[in-house]
Structure formats: structure tokens, C-alpha cells
Amino acid sequence: MTVYVVGLDGADWSLLRPWANAGDLPAFARILDEGVDGDLQSTLPPVTFPAWKCYSTGKTPGKLGVYEWYAYDRDEGSLSANDASDFTSREYWEVLADHGIDAGVVNMPTTHPANAREMDGVDVVAGSPANERKTLTNPESLKPELLDAVPDYRVKPDLVLNEATPEELVAEGKTLFDQRFDAAEFLADERDRDLVHTTLFFTDTLQHRLWDRPEHLKEAYQRIDERLGELLERDDADAVFLMSDHGFTAIDEIFLPNQWLAERGDLAFADDGTRTLLSTMGFTEERLKRVVDRLGLVSLAQRLVPKSVQGLFPSESGRVAIQDAAIDWTATKAISLGRGPVYVNHAAFADADDPAAAAERYREALADDIRDLETPEGIPVASAVHDPADVYTGARERGPDLVVEYTVGVDAPESIGGAVFGEQTEWLATHRRSGIFAGVGDDVAAGTADLDLYDLAPTILHYLDVPVPEDVDGDVRRDVLAGDATDRDVETGPPSAIGASDRGAGEEVEETLRELGYLE
């Protein structure tokens, strides 16, 4: 028998409940009628990296050493992309395997490179930015079996996202969704996995771009519903759990925190003559993408054009990804990475009588200034500015100095260039913390329950009668379980913390972020 976990990246009840109630999503409706469901509170910031690993480990970013897509090295004064090798914890499926419960994982972001470490008893089909032409699986011997079972399996869409029509995006989504479910069923049927997790990442991509076209989003979710219905009818399905790494909401205002820091004089840049020259000559990122798309060379370009070259092409908007900007670290006091973490460059205060005290005064003043910021409409930019010690546990290795919780509807990309407020991107919607959770099956409760993202790993471990690592941050939620699991004592197991690996795939991560629209 098998437990299935279906991860829907960015899924939001504001879309799914009305469609289910209207009869447009009968499989979702069945789970809502027969099982347990509720909101799932994500981490801060509510983004792919590190949210998926927060789910699979049951820990806050402070114990994982990863807070966003990018990391800031204070000693080197540099930025680098995170990947699977940077997370300092084992995942719950590794704990399951220790106790003889074999697991399979399909397409979960944060699992690339697939060979970041050995995991006996766990099959991994890596998520983006993995590549079916390279190391895709762990063990590597799994790859030919997967491609034999799902011949056209691919990790990333074969189109230029911001040049595609809504119809093309939805069609691509349906293809990718089918491949994810096919791979999950292959792991259950041919590899005899006892638990299978599969992530549908393209739901996030569609919602970013088609939030104003709900009929297209519904069409995409209807294909998911069809496959979900088939999963519910499988003879081997003990239970099916649904979850998302975060929710979604329309963008009301765009705020560029690094542009704000630059205009304050807190973030400084050196000249970048190459990008200026390309812009003057009319060579822009968007123009390059249009040419590649028209010539049908998307896959080839993704494979051959390195991140370092892509980053030279300026956006038509004038914005530049902060990762591509020529930062003058000698004159920079702070930088924002992602949609929340803010880092203070402590080296900028080295000449003060008491450098640590000077950096702390600056940090506190910066937090107050962010709290006071308002949009042109008079809405607070941030609903809260947190001390990382208040929202993260553990040693908080490589951690930020502030964590900004932006007001729902305020998107805060890390790019530089343009106005502090009011810039436009191809995204129409952004993330919010409240995602989805639901479950149905043997020994799964009926009713409602709101969970934290960190609760899923310990709850699934307890459901399968496996000890819960003593260093998780989440709780075993008995209110989503039924039968013996509700009465059984929670058994505590050894900690699941590990060291970071030295295997990296940072450049591939950056290339994928650029393709998805996370970087200008």
C-alpha cells in the first residue's frame, strides 16, 4: 500500500474551493467532503527556496542554512545561488527509509543536484533546474527506467514563458502535470515505493502569469483534478495528502527594496559598461528571448547559453537582477535578497569605534525606516519587520539581519533600476503565506485543521509509526489523523541535522530562475 503526497506549488483555496464547490473539480471536492482540509501557513519568506525543504524536514530556515534562492557570503562579499547541497538537514523520507519504508520523490524544487548525497531507500527524480539530459535521478540507475516508463519526461517547459500565449502555457502545464503523475505511479508500481511525493511546480508559473485569466487556470487545474481522481481510485492508495508551499494573491503594488536602498545611499554600484553598451545597441534580454522562441531554439539555448552571458543582457525596463549588478561592497551597507531577507554588510562599519555596535544601530534604524514605509496609496509596505531570532530557530547560519514580512499584495523583487514603486513585470500575482492542506484515506480525519508547513513532516512520520527527529520544529497534528495514530504516543528519534555538501549547481539554479522570471 502507498501514501501519496501531491504538492501543488502556490495552490490557493481562493481558486480551488469555489471551483470544487461548483462541481468543476470533482476530485478536489471529494477530498474536501470526505477528508480533512485547512490552511497551511508557510515560512518567511513564503518562497520555493526554502519552503519545500521546510516541508520535507519540518524545520525553519534557521536550521537549514537557506533563506531564499540566493545566499550572501559576508566574508567574501559575494552572492551565490543555493541548491540541494546547501541544506543542513535530512528529509522525512530519509527517516522513513531508515525504518524500512521506501519512498520516492518527484520534481520537488530544492532536490537538485539529485546526487547531493546518498539516500538509500529513497528514489529521487530531481526538480528544476535538473535536466533530463544530465544527472536527473538518485540513484543514477533510476534514470533509464524512468525515461522508459515516461519517455517524454522533462523537467522544464520547452517554451519562452513571457513570450507564450495563455493557451500555450496551459497546454504545456497539462503535459508537465501528466508527466509528474506518470512518474509518481511508476515509482509506486515498478519501484514498489511505500510513500510517493510529487510536486507540480508549473501551477506556480501559471498563476504568476495568468492570475487575470481564471478560466485558463481552471482548465489547468481540471487536468490535475482528472489525475487526482485516478490517484484516489488506485487500489494501493492508503491515503492522499495535498499541500502547497505557499499561497497566491494578486499584486497590488511593486516595491523595489534594493532601489530604495540605493537611493538612500545604502547600496552602491560600480559602472557596468558592457550592459550599457548592449542596451545602447538594442540588445536586450526580451529581444533575445523573442528571437530564440521564433527560431524554435528554446531547449538548445537553455542548454548552451550560460548564466554569465544571459546576465549581460539588460531588460527593456532598465531593471537588472541584483545578482547581475556590479555591487560596490566597500560602500554598501545593506542588501535585500528575495522577498524578505535583508542583510547588513558589517564590513561597512569596520572603521567605527565599536563596529558591532555601529552595525546594530544601523540595523535597528533600518528596521524602523522599513516599518514606516508606505505605498503611494498610503498602505504600509510591510506588515512586520522581524528580528530573525523571532522567526527562525537553530544557529541561523548565513542568516539575514532582518526579515521583512511584506503586506499581502505587495511584491518586492530584488532587481535594481527604475522607480521604487510602480514598476511592472510579467507577473500579475505573487506569493502569500497561507497555502493549502488536505488529506483523505485510511486513518485520516474528517473536518478542518489549519497547520504550519513545519507540521507536515512530523505528522506523516507519526502517521506511518516512525520516530520523529528530536530537532524538528513542527508538531505532530493528531487532529488530522484518525484511528490508532491519534492515541499512539509520539516516539522521538535522533536529530536529522547534517553538514552541507560541497556538491553545487549554482549556475544551473541561476539559469532556471532567469527562465522562470525570478531574475530580470
Side-chain angles (χ1 to χ4, degrees), residues 326-346:
I327 300 171
D328 181 357
W329 292 106
T330 65
T332 289
K333 295 180 181 178
I335 186 170
S336 173
L337 288 186
R339 289 156 166 83
V342 175
Y343 293 80
V344 173
N345 179 21
H346 292 253

Side-chain angles (χ1 to χ4, degrees), residues 53 103 125 152 157 168 175 203 228 232 242 267 298 340 359 381 413 481:
K53 275 289 196 294
V125 180
D152 297 323
E168 289 171 334
T175 298
T203 47
L228 188 59
L232 291 170
L242 304 180
L267 178 57
V298 176
V381 167
L481 305 176

Side-chain angles (χ1 to χ4, degrees), residues 121-140:
V122 180
D123 286 345
V124 176
V125 180
S128 186
N131 191 313
E132 60 275 9
R133 292 175 294 274
K134 299 179 181 179
T135 301
L136 173 65
T137 66
N138 190 1
E140 289 192 46

Side-chain angles (χ1 to χ4, degrees), residues 81-100:
N82 289 304
D83 60 42
S85 64
D86 294 302
F87 291 93
T88 56
S89 179
R90 303 175 79 219
E91 297 167 271
Y92 76 79
W93 33 76
E94 296 176 78
V95 179
L96 290 175
D98 291 343
H99 291 80

Side-chain angles (χ1 to χ4, degrees), residues 492-516:
T492 302
S496 52
I498 58 171
S501 168
D502 60 357
R503 295 176 180 173
E507 184 164 298
E508 291 176 271
V509 173
E510 293 192 30
E511 291 174 3
T512 296
L513 290 175
R514 202 173 303 280
E515 294 159 11
L516 293 172

